[in-house]
Amino acid sequence: MKKITVSHNDANQRLDRFLQKTFATLPKSMMFKQIRKKNIKVNRKRCTPEQILSEDDVIELYLSDDLLVKRTVHYDFLKAPKMPPVVYEDDNVVLVNKPQGMLCHPDGKEYVNTLLSSLKRYLYEKGEYSPENENSFSPALANRIDRNTSGIVMCAKNADSLRILADKIKKRKVHKYYLTVVNGVPKKSSDTLTAYLVKDERKNMVKVLDYSADGAKKIETVYTVLDSTDDYSLLEVELLTGRTHQIRAQLAAIGHPLLGDGKYGKTHGRYRQELCSYRVVFDFDDDSGILGYLNKKEFRLADCPVLDKFKELKSAR
């Protein structure tokens, strides 16, 4: 018989999902069968696969040892690059300035050279993350930006923070602002763009439509022109929805593609678009649990490469 005490980070998830994450040799069908036969219990009582676990719950498993081999924890993240510059950090969250060219998550080709791996390495070396003491949770990114977009990414150190950030982002209680340089000068100094986006998974591209269609998702983007020359404009952009390539595709659709964007713009074959997530504002108006102290706080980059690029273009005129 094996006993497991549910930790704080492992709480608030279904029993079956917790067991699948924890044990490499416990088949799903076998797990359901053993729960029905009461060979798996929670707090000495009969349980169900969908039962939500609480901190300090005790799971008892009356199963053979060969079914209860824990998943091997690999420390590949120790080979990851050092953590990019930290914009803000406390006991629950880290805001990181991701450089252009770095992936947020593994993409099937690159597994180690990612922001997620760097985050795990950073917290492990600080003694704030110990894989062997976690049954299922590991530090995670609450949002993501494209590989060749730079700027602020929000990271969660614990399960509660990840749940709260995900909920607030979904409810638009976290405002994310970008700086970008686009070709040309928009006719309106500011506008809210509304359209529909369809993704082509095979080409890893999106198409912007001005009408709803099967598989299309509504997108909303707010832009303000901060400065301009005859050929280029510096824009602040706020995402009201967060879809794949939304800023790049939607600005290109109105005739102002991002400078350096080889996928949707004029620089064919080059994907170093001038786009930076430079400012984040937390605007919580409902319960925000352990992250309540972040309400009304704003964080921005001290140095933004997109702003530097625009100053360079302007001085060259």
Side-chain angles (χ1 to χ4, degrees):
M1 189 269 285
K2 189 177 188 69
K3 284 187 179 182
I4 298 177
T5 300
V6 177
S7 70
H8 180 75
N9 281 332
D10 291 324
N12 299 309
Q13 63 179 304
R14 288 169 50 131
L15 172 65
D16 56 349
R17 292 174 184 167
F18 171 80
L19 294 176
Q20 286 287 288
K21 292 175 185 176
T22 304
F23 299 110
T25 54
L26 181 60
K28 199 171 185 179
S29 58
M30 175 65 73
M31 175 187 65
F32 288 138
K33 179 179 180 181
Q34 296 305 320
I35 289 174
R36 288 195 303 272
K37 293 178 68 175
K38 296 187 281 189
N39 287 329
I40 299 177
K41 297 181 179 181
V42 176
N43 300 326
R44 292 186 157 186
K45 297 178 181 177
R46 184 171 187 168
C47 56
T48 61
E50 63 273 11
Q51 181 171 332
I52 303 298
L53 297 173
S54 299
E55 185 176 0
D56 295 327
D57 276 352
V58 177
I59 303 171
E60 296 174 324
L61 303 105
Y62 297 87
L63 306 176
S64 60
D65 289 342
D66 62 320
L67 291 173
L68 300 178
V69 177
K70 282 204 168 188
R71 293 192 180 277
T72 303
V73 178
H74 297 286
Y75 293 90
D76 286 347
F77 60 77
L78 291 178
K79 301 175 185 176
K82 287 284 190 178
M83 184 76 150
V86 172
V87 179
Y88 171 81
E89 180 176 6
D90 60 35
D91 291 341
N92 299 307
V93 300
V94 190
L95 272 57
V96 185
N97 182 9
K98 184 191 82 68
Q100 190 179 58
M102 186 181 208
L103 285 168
C104 278
H105 295 99
D107 67 350
K109 296 179 182 178
E110 179 58 65
Y111 293 92
V112 177
N113 187 19
T114 67
L115 179 59
L116 180 58
S117 294
S118 292
L119 172 68
K120 291 178 180 179
R121 175 183 174 180
Y122 173 72
L123 295 177
Y124 179 84
E125 291 177 344
K126 286 183 66 181
E128 294 187 31
Y129 171 49
S130 177
E132 60 270 20
N133 294 329
E134 296 285 356
N135 286 307
S136 64
F137 179 81
S138 63
L141 311 185
N143 69 304
R144 59 175 294 173
I145 55 180
D146 290 346
R147 180 177 198 151
N148 288 315
T149 298
S150 63
I152 299 173
V153 176
M154 294 169 280
C155 312
K157 292 185 178 182
N158 52 61
D160 285 347
S161 297
L162 182 60
R163 280 191 290 270
I164 293 167
L165 285 174
D167 177 66
K168 299 306 180 186
I169 291 171
K170 183 178 180 180
K171 293 178 178 177
R172 301 184 185 179
K173 306 300 182 184
V174 180
H175 303 291
K176 295 169 284 183
Y177 297 88
Y178 294 74
L179 283 183
T180 185
V181 177
V182 300
N183 289 275
V185 182
K187 292 180 180 179
K188 295 183 179 180
S189 60
S190 64
D191 199 6
T192 298
L193 306 176
T194 301
Y196 297 87
L197 181 147
V198 178
K199 186 173 183 180
D200 185 330
E201 296 285 355
R202 186 177 61 84
K203 294 182 179 179
N204 190 30
M205 289 187 69
V206 300
K207 185 176 181 180
V208 175
L209 308 174
D210 58 7
Y211 55 89
S212 181
D214 289 343
K217 295 181 179 179
K218 187 176 181 180
I219 54 175
E220 294 180 283
T221 306
V222 179
Y223 77 81
T224 300
V225 178
L226 301 180
D227 200 354
S228 63
T229 67
D230 291 339
D231 302 313
Y232 305 104
S233 297
L234 175 68
L235 271 57
E236 181 185 71
V237 180
E238 181 185 5
L239 284 176
L240 300 185
T241 56
R243 308 296 184 193
T244 302
H245 301 172
Q246 178 176 323
I247 294 175
R248 298 165 62 188
Q250 196 160 24
L251 288 174
I254 65 167
H256 299 288
L258 275 58
L259 182 64
D261 190 346
K263 184 166 283 192
Y264 300 100
K266 299 179 179 180
T267 313
H268 299 295
R270 186 173 184 270
Y271 299 98
R272 296 273 173 167
Q273 66 270 5
E274 296 295 335
L275 183 61
C276 178
S277 173
Y278 87 113
R279 182 159 72 103
V280 172
V281 179
F282 295 95
D283 186 21
F284 304 155
D285 59 3
D286 54 4
D287 180 51
S288 46
I290 63 171
L291 298 186
Y293 59 88
L294 289 176
N295 188 31
K296 305 305 178 186
K297 287 195 175 182
E298 175 180 331
F299 302 94
R300 67 170 67 203
L301 298 182
D303 298 303
C304 179
V306 170
L307 183 57
D308 293 339
K309 180 64 177 180
F310 182 77
K311 289 178 179 178
E312 176 188 321
L313 291 169
K314 194 172 182 181
S315 64
R317 299 299 300 169

